[in-house]
Structures are given as structure tokens and as C-alpha cells.
Amino acid sequence: MRKPRLTDWLFLALALVLGVAAVFVALRPTPGSAHSAHQRSAETVTADLLPAAHSDGLSEAESGYRFERITTPSVRGPEVPVAFRILGPDGRPVTRFLDNQTRQLHFFAVRDDMNVFQHVHPTLDGDVWRTSLTLTDGGAYRMFAEFVPLDTKDPKHPVVLGVPFTVPGDTTFVPVPAPAADTVTATGYRVTRVDGAARIPSLRAQVLRFALRGPDGAFVTAVDPHLGANGHMTGFHTMLLSATHLHPVQPLGAALAGGELTFHSLFSERGEYRLFLEFSHGGRVHTAAITVAVD
């Protein structure tokens, strides 16, 4: 009988190692098992805990809806025409939405330096939405269509579609003002953010408070209805040009304690936003622009 040689012992040892490795592989959790399930569960919980941010208008298509250009602004003037369709998930024009602050569709245009802001309400002509903009200076702009689909499961979060456009010619660029505690409208009203220039956390629901004073310096204790509310506010990220809608807190017609208008807010991106507050007082609509910083 032959005595085992060294090579025999080496082969035996290798076989044992391979056997142990095979058992380990067989017993190890596979993809989609406990570890992966735990990871997915944690991700789901995290996503569920985050508040829902608004559609941001950085795309011309979202949630099955698409902005179809018909007439895009390309010249300066007091009444530059704009025409477009909103195509639904089936590819057909949509001509009816839920009322959103008394309007089916809100339309905004902002220049990339935030020095030009327009908020108008297109009218329906067949299946085409038409309006006009006042564009007295050239530059790079973005226009936004905001609406709430009839079949939405969350009417507080409208769909916002955005499309860039350019007005040729010389442009007077104006730097975006730094975050500040207050601002003065072109009509002499002073709007003061009650929290001063404090930074706002991103992805966290907040209430923003703004105190209004008239040209005489006295607090405004009551405002006229504007778009079915005490005021309207939209914010735009100064670098991304994304849009954020803020909802009024006080019920329509409520007295303004300390002259304060309040809005629910939720900012999805860090950076600076330019907020445009519209309110009606003394028989006309006033617009205040103020910059805030979001962490």
C-alpha cells in the first residue's frame, strides 16, 4: 500500500477549503434577501417621512403632461403674444383643470436675473391657451404654466411646466439682491419678513410671515381679495430658475394681526430664492420681491 505523499495532503487541504467555501456561499443571503429588504424598507420610510415638494418647472414635460409651444416671445414690447397647448397623457390638448386660487391656469415669466417678473392668466381659444407679456428688455427668460389636473390625488400640489426663451438685443443686467429682512414695492408699500433674513431649512415645511406697511408707514390690517385669497406668492431659485408655489395660511378676509400675511412653504433645493408676493390694497395689486436663503 502506497504511503500518502505531500501532494496528496495538499489536494486534500484544497478540497476541504473549497467545500467550506461552497457551504458559505449557499448559506449567504442572496440579493433581494433580508439585507436588501431592510435597505429598501429604510429608503421607503425615509421617502415617506419627507414632505412632498411641488413640481418645479425645470422641464416642459412632467406627470404625463407636456407644454407645446405655438407662439414663443422673441421681441420686446408691452404686449408680446404667447400661445401654447397643454398636452395630456394621451397626447391630446387639455382644456380644463381644477381651479387653483380661482384660476385654471397661472402663467409666469421671469428673467434669469430675477429683475423681470410677470404673472398673467391665459384665456382659452379652442384648445390653445393665449396671453401676452410685457417685455421691455432683452435677455434669457423662462416661462411657466401652473395647473392642477382634474384627476389629481393632491390638489395642493400643481403641475408646473417650464420652457426657456430669449429676447434678443441689449440687456440691462441687474444683480439679484442679497437676502434681506424687508423690501419696498414700486408703489411705496414696505414688506418685512418677520424672521428677518434668517436662513430657511430645505425639505421642511415652514410658515413664512410678512408684515405689510402702507406708504404712510402704518400697518395694513386688511387686504382686498386677490385670486380668492389674501395674497399670492411664488418663489424662483436664483440659479436653477425652478419654481415654488407658497400657499396662503389665513382664510380669505381675515384681519391681519400686526399687518402680517402668512404662507406655507416648502423649498426642495438649497440656495437663494427670489419670492414674489402679490396682494391687493387700496384698489390695486402690489408686488413685492424679496430674497431668502435656504440651507
Side-chain angles (χ1 to χ4, degrees):
M1 182 177 180
R2 184 176 64 86
K3 293 182 179 180
R5 292 179 297 181
L6 178 60
T7 53
D8 295 329
W9 291 111
L10 290 175
F11 279 121
L12 179 60
L14 179 60
L16 288 174
V17 169
L18 292 176
V20 171
V23 171
F24 175 78
V25 170
L27 295 178
R28 186 183 60 182
T30 58
S33 64
H35 175 72
S36 296
H38 172 73
Q39 186 178 32
R40 287 196 303 272
S41 176
E43 291 170 351
T44 302
V45 169
T46 301
D48 291 342
L49 290 177
L50 290 176
H54 287 292
S55 169
D56 56 18
L58 288 179
S59 173
E60 63 182 41
E62 185 177 322
S63 302
Y65 293 88
R66 184 167 64 85
F67 188 106
E68 181 183 57
R69 304 167 178 84
I70 295 178
T71 304
T72 302
S74 60
V75 297
R76 309 180 192 204
E79 294 186 4
V80 180
V82 184
F84 59 94
R85 291 188 182 94
I86 300 297
L87 303 183
D90 60 0
R92 298 177 181 178
V94 182
T95 59
R96 183 72 179 94
F97 303 107
L98 291 178
D99 284 349
N100 174 21
Q101 284 201 229
T102 74
R103 304 287 180 158
Q104 286 195 57
L105 194 147
H106 293 265
F107 188 84
F108 308 93
V110 294
R111 199 168 69 178
D112 60 358
D113 65 355
M114 300 290 148
N115 189 52
V116 180
F117 166 77
Q118 297 272 300
H119 177 192
V120 296
H121 302 102
T123 56
L124 192 61
D125 178 14
D127 61 6
V128 176
W129 297 91
R130 298 184 185 276
T131 189
S132 62
L133 298 172
T134 300
L135 303 172
T136 59
D137 201 7
Y141 290 79
R142 191 169 189 84
M143 54 187 176
F144 303 82
E146 176 188 291
F147 56 89
V148 180
L150 290 175
D151 61 352
T152 184
K153 296 181 180 179
D154 189 358
K156 290 186 178 181
H157 292 85
V159 172
V160 184
L161 306 180
V163 174
F165 68 95
T166 301
V167 176
D170 294 338
T171 301
T172 304
F173 179 79
V174 179
V176 178
D182 61 5
T183 185
V184 178
T185 71
T187 51
Y189 285 74
R190 180 172 293 276
V191 176
T192 302
R193 186 178 159 211
V194 176
D195 292 329
R199 302 181 75 86
I200 302 169
S202 61
L203 287 175
R204 185 183 303 173
Q206 300 280 308
V207 172
L208 300 186
R209 302 157 59 203
F210 299 89
L212 311 182
R213 291 181 183 268
D216 60 358
F219 282 117
V220 175
T221 57
V223 291
D224 304 322
H226 176 56
L227 298 174
N230 286 338
H232 185 281
M233 179 174 279
T234 305
F236 300 91
H237 195 288
T238 60
M239 295 297 291
L240 302 175
L241 289 190
S242 56
T244 298
H245 182 80
L246 293 84
H247 297 281
V249 175
Q250 294 131 317
L252 177 63
L256 307 185
E260 288 187 18
L261 276 179
T262 52
F263 292 85
H264 291 295
S265 70
L266 176 61
F267 298 96
S268 58
E269 299 287 346
R270 297 178 179 179
E272 293 184 353
Y273 287 78
R274 191 73 167 156
L275 305 184
F276 293 91
L277 167 62
E278 301 167 71
F279 62 94
S280 179
H281 187 257
R284 64 181 297 185
V285 175
H286 310 272
T287 302
I290 191 166
T291 306
V292 298
V294 175
D295 286 331

